[in-house]
Amino acid sequence: MRRYFLPSVALLSLAVVWLVVWGFLRTDKERFYGDEFRRPAFDFSLTDHANREFALSDHKGKVILLNFGFTNCPDICPITLGMLGEVLDIVKDDRVLALFITVDPERDTVAKLGEYIPFFHDHIVGLTGSQREIKRVNDACGTFYSKEKEVSEDDYVVSHSPAVYLIGPGGEMTLRYPKDKLDPKRIAEDVKSLLL
Amino acid sequence: MIAKKTLLALLILFLTPCFARGEEKISVKDPWVRQNPPGTSVTAAYMVMENLTASAEELVRVSCSCSSEASLHLTETRDGSMTMKKVASIEIPPGASLALAPGGYHVMLTGLSDDIGKTAVLELQFRSGMRISVKASVLGPQDAKKRESHHH
Ligand SMILES: [Cu+2]
């Protein structure tokens, strides 16, 4: 009897560990609509469309939805901004922030963003700054942007990530919404569950 | 004489439907232009085109009363990064419908004034030489949202 004791305990604890890990992975996957996208906390410093300094670290405790774009983008950026406005209207909580970070700081000045952003929603924050800082945010999101001469000789577009990134209350990257997962109602549910 | 007249009448009767169908080889539905946000001079136009003929047709050129330039574009994602590229034409297979919709094919409009008004006229030119003129509604963010979710 005794010689079976240790192996049984070992086997049992292994099963328990396996169950816990499996349960954890499973609930976490099913808990959110967004794709799990865990990255360590990071920081950036940019200027908002009302010409105020904006540092990510000043907004701990909030859920942040972040997306990239540029004001001359005719097709996708306006849709994403409209969608983020809807999320804000559903959640209706000061602890959620929607950020639009330009990938075209040369043309998207504070004044330009100040004209553009409020057209979509009063509470979306438009951010611009140095290429270095904007690249840092892209790196943290595991994405990139690049200028492309496509429209005409004196015009260009900037390729960028179409995804929306969610930063949790602790400042860490948590979820990612790819372009086919941009349902405002379901994103709002994720945000609410993280604000509880 | 009477026989001749009857024959003519019959001929006209039979041919009229052919001509009538010939009038509408491509049907254009729900054309709309996204209102350009303040301070910007670019936007996009969308619509659904249905090819009612038995042969393929191609949209080759568009002009808009609201912009100085219009070109055919495709939004696409490469390595997780999204961009647009110019396309020379957009093919509509025989009997098929093709949607110019957000995130895919669109008419890129550049050189817009600050206020383009409530409607715009789009002039579509096809490979066969056919031209179609359609009146598109200019939609602000709220109305555009409705139209987008309608197509999804
Ligand atoms: Cu375009």
mmCIF file of all heavy atoms in Angstrom, chain A residues 26-59:
data_model
loop_
_atom_site.group_PDB
_atom_site.id
_atom_site.type_symbol
_atom_site.label_atom_id
_atom_site.label_comp_id
_atom_site.label_asym_id
_atom_site.label_seq_id
_atom_site.Cartn_x
_atom_site.Cartn_y
_atom_site.Cartn_z
ATOM 1 N N ARG A 26 -8.674 28.301 -20.510
ATOM 2 C CA ARG A 26 -9.974 28.218 -21.139
ATOM 3 C C ARG A 26 -10.842 29.427 -20.795
ATOM 4 O O ARG A 26 -11.367 30.099 -21.668
ATOM 5 C CB ARG A 26 -10.679 26.935 -20.702
ATOM 6 C CG ARG A 26 -11.813 26.518 -21.594
ATOM 7 C CD ARG A 26 -12.504 25.328 -20.992
ATOM 8 N NE ARG A 26 -13.078 25.722 -19.712
ATOM 9 C CZ ARG A 26 -14.393 25.777 -19.498
ATOM 10 N NH1 ARG A 26 -15.206 25.462 -20.441
ATOM 11 N NH2 ARG A 26 -14.853 26.152 -18.333
ATOM 12 N N THR A 27 -10.944 29.721 -19.477
ATOM 13 C CA THR A 27 -11.804 30.839 -19.082
ATOM 14 C C THR A 27 -11.281 32.140 -19.664
ATOM 15 O O THR A 27 -12.042 32.993 -20.071
ATOM 16 C CB THR A 27 -11.896 30.977 -17.553
ATOM 17 O OG1 THR A 27 -10.591 30.968 -17.036
ATOM 18 C CG2 THR A 27 -12.723 29.862 -16.950
ATOM 19 N N ASP A 28 -9.940 32.294 -19.703
ATOM 20 C CA ASP A 28 -9.384 33.529 -20.210
ATOM 21 C C ASP A 28 -9.706 33.715 -21.679
ATOM 22 O O ASP A 28 -9.986 34.809 -22.133
ATOM 23 C CB ASP A 28 -7.868 33.532 -20.003
ATOM 24 C CG ASP A 28 -7.382 34.935 -19.704
ATOM 25 O OD1 ASP A 28 -7.995 35.560 -18.833
ATOM 26 O OD2 ASP A 28 -6.435 35.378 -20.362
ATOM 27 N N LYS A 29 -9.665 32.631 -22.420
ATOM 28 C CA LYS A 29 -9.958 32.702 -23.843
ATOM 29 C C LYS A 29 -11.416 33.026 -24.074
ATOM 30 O O LYS A 29 -11.765 33.760 -24.977
ATOM 31 C CB LYS A 29 -9.629 31.349 -24.493
ATOM 32 C CG LYS A 29 -8.255 31.342 -25.125
ATOM 33 C CD LYS A 29 -8.236 30.540 -26.418
ATOM 34 C CE LYS A 29 -6.865 30.585 -27.054
ATOM 35 N NZ LYS A 29 -6.008 29.484 -26.613
ATOM 36 N N GLU A 30 -12.265 32.446 -23.243
ATOM 37 C CA GLU A 30 -13.684 32.646 -23.453
ATOM 38 C C GLU A 30 -14.201 33.924 -22.839
ATOM 39 O O GLU A 30 -15.300 34.352 -23.115
ATOM 40 C CB GLU A 30 -14.454 31.447 -22.872
ATOM 41 C CG GLU A 30 -14.317 30.234 -23.764
ATOM 42 C CD GLU A 30 -14.994 29.020 -23.189
ATOM 43 O OE1 GLU A 30 -15.571 29.115 -22.100
ATOM 44 O OE2 GLU A 30 -14.936 27.983 -23.849
ATOM 45 N N ARG A 31 -13.367 34.508 -21.977
ATOM 46 C CA ARG A 31 -13.812 35.699 -21.268
ATOM 47 C C ARG A 31 -13.896 36.904 -22.195
ATOM 48 O O ARG A 31 -14.728 37.764 -22.003
ATOM 49 C CB ARG A 31 -12.833 35.991 -20.138
ATOM 50 C CG ARG A 31 -13.539 36.343 -18.837
ATOM 51 C CD ARG A 31 -12.536 36.443 -17.727
ATOM 52 N NE ARG A 31 -12.067 37.804 -17.563
ATOM 53 C CZ ARG A 31 -10.972 38.125 -16.876
ATOM 54 N NH1 ARG A 31 -10.219 37.192 -16.367
ATOM 55 N NH2 ARG A 31 -10.613 39.382 -16.745
ATOM 56 N N PHE A 32 -13.000 36.970 -23.165
ATOM 57 C CA PHE A 32 -12.935 38.166 -23.996
ATOM 58 C C PHE A 32 -13.271 37.910 -25.463
ATOM 59 O O PHE A 32 -12.981 36.847 -26.003
ATOM 60 C CB PHE A 32 -11.536 38.780 -23.914
ATOM 61 C CG PHE A 32 -11.178 39.254 -22.540
ATOM 62 C CD1 PHE A 32 -10.165 38.634 -21.823
ATOM 63 C CD2 PHE A 32 -11.866 40.319 -21.954
ATOM 64 C CE1 PHE A 32 -9.832 39.080 -20.553
ATOM 65 C CE2 PHE A 32 -11.545 40.762 -20.692
ATOM 66 C CZ PHE A 32 -10.526 40.136 -19.983
ATOM 67 N N TYR A 33 -13.825 38.933 -26.067
ATOM 68 C CA TYR A 33 -14.089 38.933 -27.506
ATOM 69 C C TYR A 33 -12.783 39.196 -28.260
ATOM 70 O O TYR A 33 -12.483 38.560 -29.267
ATOM 71 C CB TYR A 33 -15.141 40.007 -27.789
ATOM 72 C CG TYR A 33 -15.292 40.453 -29.217
ATOM 73 C CD1 TYR A 33 -15.707 39.565 -30.212
ATOM 74 C CD2 TYR A 33 -15.068 41.789 -29.565
ATOM 75 C CE1 TYR A 33 -15.873 40.002 -31.516
ATOM 76 C CE2 TYR A 33 -15.246 42.226 -30.870
ATOM 77 C CZ TYR A 33 -15.642 41.330 -31.841
ATOM 78 O OH TYR A 33 -15.807 41.771 -33.114
ATOM 79 N N GLY A 34 -11.966 40.105 -27.731
ATOM 80 C CA GLY A 34 -10.689 40.432 -28.365
ATOM 81 C C GLY A 34 -9.696 39.288 -28.256
ATOM 82 O O GLY A 34 -9.826 38.429 -27.388
ATOM 83 N N ASP A 35 -8.723 39.287 -29.161
ATOM 84 C CA ASP A 35 -7.671 38.271 -29.100
ATOM 85 C C ASP A 35 -6.724 38.609 -27.952
ATOM 86 O O ASP A 35 -6.318 39.756 -27.797
ATOM 87 C CB ASP A 35 -6.860 38.260 -30.408
ATOM 88 C CG ASP A 35 -7.697 37.799 -31.588
ATOM 89 O OD1 ASP A 35 -8.777 37.229 -31.350
ATOM 90 O OD2 ASP A 35 -7.272 38.030 -32.740
ATOM 91 N N GLU A 36 -6.365 37.591 -27.190
ATOM 92 C CA GLU A 36 -5.428 37.809 -26.099
ATOM 93 C C GLU A 36 -4.108 38.319 -26.662
ATOM 94 O O GLU A 36 -3.595 37.772 -27.645
ATOM 95 C CB GLU A 36 -5.216 36.493 -25.362
ATOM 96 C CG GLU A 36 -4.791 36.728 -23.942
ATOM 97 C CD GLU A 36 -4.483 35.433 -23.247
ATOM 98 O OE1 GLU A 36 -5.259 34.483 -23.456
ATOM 99 O OE2 GLU A 36 -3.475 35.385 -22.537
ATOM 100 N N PHE A 37 -3.580 39.377 -26.078
ATOM 101 C CA PHE A 37 -2.385 40.006 -26.620
ATOM 102 C C PHE A 37 -1.588 40.589 -25.462
ATOM 103 O O PHE A 37 -1.535 41.794 -25.258
ATOM 104 C CB PHE A 37 -2.828 41.109 -27.596
ATOM 105 C CG PHE A 37 -1.729 41.664 -28.458
ATOM 106 C CD1 PHE A 37 -1.175 40.889 -29.471
ATOM 107 C CD2 PHE A 37 -1.275 42.966 -28.291
ATOM 108 C CE1 PHE A 37 -0.166 41.414 -30.280
ATOM 109 C CE2 PHE A 37 -0.270 43.492 -29.103
ATOM 110 C CZ PHE A 37 0.271 42.713 -30.098
ATOM 111 N N ARG A 38 -1.029 39.706 -24.643
ATOM 112 C CA ARG A 38 -0.362 40.171 -23.428
ATOM 113 C C ARG A 38 1.062 40.630 -23.698
ATOM 114 O O ARG A 38 1.876 39.890 -24.232
ATOM 115 C CB ARG A 38 -0.389 39.081 -22.367
ATOM 116 C CG ARG A 38 -1.813 38.766 -21.963
ATOM 117 C CD ARG A 38 -1.906 38.070 -20.631
ATOM 118 N NE ARG A 38 -3.290 37.724 -20.364
ATOM 119 C CZ ARG A 38 -4.162 38.530 -19.782
ATOM 120 N NH1 ARG A 38 -3.789 39.731 -19.386
ATOM 121 N NH2 ARG A 38 -5.419 38.162 -19.601
ATOM 122 N N ARG A 39 1.304 41.880 -23.343
ATOM 123 C CA ARG A 39 2.636 42.456 -23.460
ATOM 124 C C ARG A 39 2.885 43.243 -22.184
ATOM 125 O O ARG A 39 1.937 43.722 -21.575
ATOM 126 C CB ARG A 39 2.725 43.439 -24.649
ATOM 127 C CG ARG A 39 2.394 42.838 -26.005
ATOM 128 C CD ARG A 39 3.616 42.124 -26.569
ATOM 129 N NE ARG A 39 3.253 41.346 -27.753
ATOM 130 C CZ ARG A 39 3.634 41.670 -28.997
ATOM 131 N NH1 ARG A 39 4.338 42.745 -29.213
ATOM 132 N NH2 ARG A 39 3.286 40.903 -30.008
ATOM 133 N N PRO A 40 4.150 43.400 -21.780
ATOM 134 C CA PRO A 40 4.420 44.148 -20.541
ATOM 135 C C PRO A 40 3.983 45.609 -20.652
ATOM 136 O O PRO A 40 3.841 46.152 -21.753
ATOM 137 C CB PRO A 40 5.940 44.041 -20.381
ATOM 138 C CG PRO A 40 6.458 43.603 -21.708
ATOM 139 C CD PRO A 40 5.363 42.854 -22.376
ATOM 140 N N ALA A 41 3.789 46.249 -19.491
ATOM 141 C CA ALA A 41 3.412 47.662 -19.450
ATOM 142 C C ALA A 41 4.486 48.496 -20.145
ATOM 143 O O ALA A 41 5.660 48.157 -20.121
ATOM 144 C CB ALA A 41 3.247 48.109 -18.007
ATOM 145 N N PHE A 42 4.080 49.557 -20.808
ATOM 146 C CA PHE A 42 5.040 50.452 -21.461
ATOM 147 C C PHE A 42 4.517 51.868 -21.306
ATOM 148 O O PHE A 42 3.458 52.098 -20.748
ATOM 149 C CB PHE A 42 5.222 50.059 -22.935
ATOM 150 C CG PHE A 42 4.014 50.350 -23.803
ATOM 151 C CD1 PHE A 42 4.039 51.374 -24.752
ATOM 152 C CD2 PHE A 42 2.845 49.616 -23.656
ATOM 153 C CE1 PHE A 42 2.929 51.631 -25.542
ATOM 154 C CE2 PHE A 42 1.729 49.881 -24.439
ATOM 155 C CZ PHE A 42 1.772 50.887 -25.387
ATOM 156 N N ASP A 43 5.261 52.809 -21.798
ATOM 157 C CA ASP A 43 4.838 54.196 -21.673
ATOM 158 C C ASP A 43 5.166 54.945 -22.957
ATOM 159 O O ASP A 43 6.005 54.518 -23.750
ATOM 160 C CB ASP A 43 5.551 54.854 -20.482
ATOM 161 C CG ASP A 43 4.834 56.136 -20.043
ATOM 162 O OD1 ASP A 43 3.691 56.372 -20.498
ATOM 163 O OD2 ASP A 43 5.416 56.893 -19.242
ATOM 164 N N PHE A 44 4.466 56.039 -23.190
ATOM 165 C CA PHE A 44 4.825 56.937 -24.292
ATOM 166 C C PHE A 44 4.375 58.334 -23.922
ATOM 167 O O PHE A 44 3.547 58.516 -23.030
ATOM 168 C CB PHE A 44 4.203 56.489 -25.619
ATOM 169 C CG PHE A 44 2.683 56.458 -25.635
ATOM 170 C CD1 PHE A 44 1.942 57.624 -25.735
ATOM 171 C CD2 PHE A 44 2.006 55.245 -25.584
ATOM 172 C CE1 PHE A 44 0.550 57.581 -25.765
ATOM 173 C CE2 PHE A 44 0.614 55.200 -25.605
ATOM 174 C CZ PHE A 44 -0.117 56.374 -25.697
ATOM 175 N N SER A 45 4.959 59.297 -24.599
ATOM 176 C CA SER A 45 4.588 60.682 -24.343
ATOM 177 C C SER A 45 4.316 61.386 -25.662
ATOM 178 O O SER A 45 5.189 61.498 -26.514
ATOM 179 C CB SER A 45 5.733 61.364 -23.584
ATOM 180 O OG SER A 45 5.446 62.730 -23.460
ATOM 181 N N LEU A 46 3.075 61.818 -25.851
ATOM 182 C CA LEU A 46 2.680 62.485 -27.093
ATOM 183 C C LEU A 46 1.897 63.757 -26.745
ATOM 184 O O LEU A 46 1.731 64.088 -25.572
ATOM 185 C CB LEU A 46 1.824 61.539 -27.946
ATOM 186 C CG LEU A 46 2.529 60.287 -28.498
ATOM 187 C CD1 LEU A 46 1.522 59.254 -28.972
ATOM 188 C CD2 LEU A 46 3.471 60.662 -29.645
ATOM 189 N N THR A 47 1.422 64.462 -27.775
ATOM 190 C CA THR A 47 0.644 65.682 -27.543
ATOM 191 C C THR A 47 -0.767 65.465 -28.055
ATOM 192 O O THR A 47 -0.945 64.953 -29.159
ATOM 193 C CB THR A 47 1.294 66.873 -28.291
ATOM 194 O OG1 THR A 47 2.667 66.941 -27.927
ATOM 195 C CG2 THR A 47 0.603 68.183 -27.939
ATOM 196 N N ASP A 48 -1.775 65.841 -27.257
ATOM 197 C CA ASP A 48 -3.148 65.593 -27.692
ATOM 198 C C ASP A 48 -3.672 66.709 -28.598
ATOM 199 O O ASP A 48 -2.997 67.725 -28.802
ATOM 200 C CB ASP A 48 -4.070 65.300 -26.499
ATOM 201 C CG ASP A 48 -4.476 66.561 -25.736
ATOM 202 O OD1 ASP A 48 -4.186 67.689 -26.199
ATOM 203 O OD2 ASP A 48 -5.086 66.408 -24.663
ATOM 204 N N HIS A 49 -4.871 66.519 -29.148
ATOM 205 C CA HIS A 49 -5.355 67.470 -30.151
ATOM 206 C C HIS A 49 -5.780 68.814 -29.557
ATOM 207 O O HIS A 49 -6.156 69.730 -30.282
ATOM 208 C CB HIS A 49 -6.469 66.844 -31.001
ATOM 209 C CG HIS A 49 -7.758 66.615 -30.273
ATOM 210 N ND1 HIS A 49 -8.063 65.427 -29.654
ATOM 211 C CD2 HIS A 49 -8.826 67.430 -30.077
ATOM 212 C CE1 HIS A 49 -9.276 65.513 -29.106
ATOM 213 N NE2 HIS A 49 -9.758 66.720 -29.357
ATOM 214 N N ALA A 50 -5.705 68.920 -28.204
ATOM 215 C CA ALA A 50 -5.939 70.216 -27.568
ATOM 216 C C ALA A 50 -4.609 70.805 -27.095
ATOM 217 O O ALA A 50 -4.571 71.718 -26.273
ATOM 218 C CB ALA A 50 -6.899 70.063 -26.406
ATOM 219 N N ASN A 51 -3.500 70.237 -27.626
ATOM 220 C CA ASN A 51 -2.144 70.694 -27.338
ATOM 221 C C ASN A 51 -1.700 70.482 -25.888
ATOM 222 O O ASN A 51 -0.947 71.280 -25.346
ATOM 223 C CB ASN A 51 -1.989 72.178 -27.733
ATOM 224 C CG ASN A 51 -0.542 72.509 -28.070
ATOM 225 O OD1 ASN A 51 0.277 71.621 -28.328
ATOM 226 N ND2 ASN A 51 -0.215 73.785 -28.061
ATOM 227 N N ARG A 52 -2.179 69.421 -25.258
ATOM 228 C CA ARG A 52 -1.729 69.060 -23.915
ATOM 229 C C ARG A 52 -0.834 67.833 -24.013
ATOM 230 O O ARG A 52 -1.021 66.991 -24.874
ATOM 231 C CB ARG A 52 -2.927 68.728 -23.015
ATOM 232 C CG ARG A 52 -3.783 69.940 -22.648
ATOM 233 C CD ARG A 52 -5.025 69.470 -21.920
ATOM 234 N NE ARG A 52 -5.804 68.578 -22.773
ATOM 235 C CZ ARG A 52 -7.148 68.615 -22.882
ATOM 236 N NH1 ARG A 52 -7.833 69.493 -22.196
ATOM 237 N NH2 ARG A 52 -7.785 67.775 -23.676
ATOM 238 N N GLU A 53 0.149 67.774 -23.084
ATOM 239 C CA GLU A 53 1.012 66.596 -23.028
ATOM 240 C C GLU A 53 0.179 65.385 -22.629
ATOM 241 O O GLU A 53 -0.707 65.493 -21.780
ATOM 242 C CB GLU A 53 2.128 66.800 -22.000
ATOM 243 C CG GLU A 53 3.242 67.701 -22.499
ATOM 244 C CD GLU A 53 3.845 67.215 -23.818
ATOM 245 O OE1 GLU A 53 4.271 66.047 -23.883
ATOM 246 O OE2 GLU A 53 3.863 67.998 -24.791
ATOM 247 N N PHE A 54 0.430 64.272 -23.264
ATOM 248 C CA PHE A 54 -0.286 63.052 -22.907
ATOM 249 C C PHE A 54 0.719 61.932 -22.680
ATOM 250 O O PHE A 54 1.408 61.508 -23.619
ATOM 251 C CB PHE A 54 -1.269 62.660 -24.018
ATOM 252 C CG PHE A 54 -2.113 61.457 -23.676
ATOM 253 C CD1 PHE A 54 -3.431 61.605 -23.263
ATOM 254 C CD2 PHE A 54 -1.570 60.169 -23.745
ATOM 255 C CE1 PHE A 54 -4.206 60.493 -22.929
ATOM 256 C CE2 PHE A 54 -2.338 59.058 -23.415
ATOM 257 C CZ PHE A 54 -3.660 59.217 -23.010
ATOM 258 N N ALA A 55 0.826 61.472 -21.436
ATOM 259 C CA ALA A 55 1.686 60.317 -21.126
ATOM 260 C C ALA A 55 0.781 59.170 -20.718
ATOM 261 O O ALA A 55 -0.144 59.347 -19.927
ATOM 262 C CB ALA A 55 2.655 60.665 -20.005
ATOM 263 N N LEU A 56 1.059 58.009 -21.269
ATOM 264 C CA LEU A 56 0.230 56.838 -20.962
ATOM 265 C C LEU A 56 0.228 56.558 -19.456
ATOM 266 O O LEU A 56 -0.803 56.236 -18.866
ATOM 267 C CB LEU A 56 0.754 55.621 -21.738
ATOM 268 C CG LEU A 56 -0.025 54.311 -21.570
ATOM 269 C CD1 LEU A 56 -1.451 54.459 -22.084
ATOM 270 C CD2 LEU A 56 0.678 53.168 -22.300
ATOM 271 N N SER A 57 1.405 56.744 -18.820
ATOM 272 C CA SER A 57 1.547 56.425 -17.386
ATOM 273 C C SER A 57 0.683 57.331 -16.500
ATOM 274 O O SER A 57 0.464 57.018 -15.334
ATOM 275 C CB SER A 57 3.014 56.510 -16.973
ATOM 276 O OG SER A 57 3.560 57.735 -17.428
ATOM 277 N N ASP A 58 0.196 58.444 -17.041
ATOM 278 C CA ASP A 58 -0.699 59.319 -16.256
ATOM 279 C C ASP A 58 -2.121 58.776 -16.215
ATOM 280 O O ASP A 58 -2.997 59.384 -15.601
ATOM 281 C CB ASP A 58 -0.745 60.729 -16.865
ATOM 282 C CG ASP A 58 0.561 61.472 -16.678
ATOM 283 O OD1 ASP A 58 1.359 61.051 -15.814
ATOM 284 O OD2 ASP A 58 0.784 62.460 -17.400
ATOM 285 N N HIS A 59 -2.379 57.681 -16.920
ATOM 286 C CA HIS A 59 -3.755 57.197 -17.033
ATOM 287 C C HIS A 59 -3.938 55.775 -16.510
ATOM 288 O O HIS A 59 -4.775 55.034 -16.996
ATOM 289 C CB HIS A 59 -4.234 57.327 -18.490
ATOM 290 C CG HIS A 59 -4.269 58.747 -18.948
ATOM 291 N ND1 HIS A 59 -5.358 59.567 -18.770
ATOM 292 C CD2 HIS A 59 -3.316 59.526 -19.529
ATOM 293 C CE1 HIS A 59 -5.090 60.776 -19.237
ATOM 294 N NE2 HIS A 59 -3.850 60.783 -19.710
#
